[in-house]
Amino acid sequence: MRRHLSDIGEFALIESIAKSVKTGPSVIKGIGDDCAVLEYKKNKHLLFTTDMIIEGVHFDCKKSSPLSIGRKALAVNISDIAACGGIPRWAVVSAGIPKHITSSYAHDMYKGITSLAQRFGIDLVGGDTNCSKKLVLSIALLGEVLKDELVLRQGACQGDSLVITGPLYEKPDHLGFTPKLKESRFIVKELMPTAMIDISDGLLSDLEHILKKSRKGAFVYESLIPVGGKKTSVKKIINTGEQFELLFTMPKSMLRSIPKSFYVIGEISGDRPSITFVSRLGERKKISPGGYTHF
Ligand code: ADP
Ligand code: MG
């Protein structure tokens, strides 16, 4: 029987691709983290990431300005570099542009990319342009990370605190968000993080990535989850994607150094990658992520 991608899902597809790929000794971390980590300099690694945004999937041309679309295409990549503790440096942009798009629209889209690039010290160094049915922007971004500041999805330790850099929203600002690079700098310099990810699929789904890679379990406390905007259900926002806050684990002994804008939402406990949700009434329940997946 032929299996469709919707039967196995995005994550299983990526896992099977990862299993079929062999990499050389210059690859420190290949498929499976927010960035690939590559051999580079004596004290630094190179980070390499790519993300694509597609009309109708990640944005709606009727509702979003070209400036905000271009901006988002780069912001999601910067977020992945931040999740690994690095600094973004060089980008190439591939654009699939429908025939009906005007040149001023395309220019505005690039203005969105270049203004954010300038703000984050990124050089735009190339790309590719094609005609396509839907508007597609794919950016590949290189970054640098000091070897002792690299943070991966693996590495969470028993007893670590589980922290997020800001509140979660029912309708996050998925176009205009600012990648959490400043927060990432602080985390790697001051908090001794053991694992980190950016919340792109949803809090529970991205937590599950950390737990699977770290081979650990976690407790998440409903009462500690910060809800932004108007009151909404915690159960909903923990499965809402495109929040782009950083989720990380760190030793409890360093908690006195965390800023007021960060939130401890749980702790690492046990060796099975499962999530125990503790309700406001203290009831414990194992929960599975229901975040966004393609297919
Ligand atoms: P993120 O949400 O952080 O951008 P993804 O869920 O897109 O991460 O990807 C998870 C991992 O799988 C990353 O290491 C990414 O590079 C890799 N990956 C995703 N799609 C592919 C693909 N088609 N081929 C090879 N690697 C892929
Ligand atoms: Mg990511």
Side-chain angles (χ1 to χ4, degrees):
M1 197 177 74
R2 241 192 293 166
R3 292 181 80 194
H4 293 274
L5 284 177
S6 53
D7 297 330
I8 64 164
E10 174 192 352
F11 300 137
L13 172 66
I14 293 173
E15 260 171 45
S16 74
I17 294 172
K19 276 193 193 129
S20 70
V21 167
K22 288 223 169 5
T23 52
S26 61
V27 179
I28 292 150
K29 185 82 212 172
I31 295 172
D33 219 288
D34 291 288
C35 298
V37 184
L38 308 172
E39 205 75 76
Y40 182 42
K41 289 183 180 172
K42 202 165 162 220
N43 62 337
K44 284 178 184 172
H45 294 308
L46 201 58
L47 297 175
F48 195 11
T49 187
T50 186
D51 256 304
M52 173 166 50
I53 62 168
I54 305 174
E55 176 189 349
V57 179
H58 302 96
F59 61 87
D60 180 344
C61 280
K62 290 197 188 88
K63 289 188 194 151
S64 321
S65 71
L67 204 94
S68 66
I69 293 167
R71 190 187 182 283
K72 174 171 180 161
L74 183 59
V76 291
N77 281 282
I78 300 172
S79 183
D80 278 328
I81 299 276
C84 289
I87 293 174
R89 294 299 308 274
W90 305 280
V92 290
V93 179
S94 297
I97 306 178
K99 279 202 181 93
H100 63 83
I101 294 272
T102 63
S103 68
S104 85
Y105 190 100
H107 274 116
D108 283 351
M109 213 165 61
Y110 267 79
K111 214 186 279 169
I113 299 173
T114 51
S115 57
L116 195 69
Q118 203 175 16
R119 178 168 160 199
F120 282 90
I122 298 164
D123 291 316
L124 183 57
V125 294
D128 191 24
T129 311
N130 287 287
C131 186
S132 63
K133 284 205 174 106
K134 299 255 176 198
L135 182 58
V136 179
L137 275 180
S138 172
I139 294 187
L141 181 61
L142 285 169
E144 296 177 295
V145 63
L146 284 172
K147 285 184 178 175
D148 56 11
E149 291 183 356
L150 173 68
V151 197
L152 297 172
R153 294 176 179 184
Q154 67 197 61
C157 298
Q158 174 70 26
D160 277 355
S161 291
L162 193 60
V163 186
I164 49 175
T165 48
L168 304 178
Y169 290 84
E170 189 177 338
K171 293 199 173 109
D173 184 7
H174 72 103
L175 281 168
F177 76 95
T178 299
K180 303 290 180 259
L181 193 68
K182 208 168 63 182
E183 290 79 355
S184 165
R185 299 315 303 143
F186 182 86
I187 292 165
V188 296
K189 296 274 180 217
E190 307 293 339
L191 301 181
M192 295 174 63
T194 48
M196 186 148 66
I197 193 167
D198 63 329
I199 304 179
S200 53
D201 298 326
L203 173 70
L204 292 188
S205 186
D206 289 309
L207 172 57
E208 190 176 59
H209 290 315
I210 287 187
L211 299 178
K212 280 189 172 161
K213 296 285 175 189
S214 302
R215 296 168 191 271
K216 289 280 176 283
F219 280 77
V220 174
Y221 297 89
E222 183 178 16
S223 60
L224 298 181
I225 292 177
V227 181
K230 68 175 170 36
K231 281 279 168 249
T232 172
S233 127
V234 167
K235 297 212 169 77
K236 203 164 178 184
I237 55 167
I238 56 180
N239 282 315
T240 303
E242 304 217 292
Q243 305 275 350
F244 295 110
E245 295 296 338
L246 297 173
L247 168 69
F248 66 101
T249 55
M250 58 176 280
K252 280 205 177 89
S253 59
M254 300 299 294
L255 278 182
R256 63 191 133 73
S257 306
I258 74 163
K260 282 204 179 76
S261 54
F262 289 9
Y263 298 86
V264 177
I265 59 160
E267 66 208 0
I268 297 298
S269 177
D271 293 329
R272 291 224 171 118
S274 66
I275 304 171
T276 306
F277 191 72
V278 185
S279 77
R280 284 180 210 283
L281 301 170
E283 293 157 348
R284 296 174 170 196
K285 204 161 93 185
K286 292 252 189 290
I287 47 171
S288 302
Y292 186 81
T293 65
H294 295 275
F295 309 114

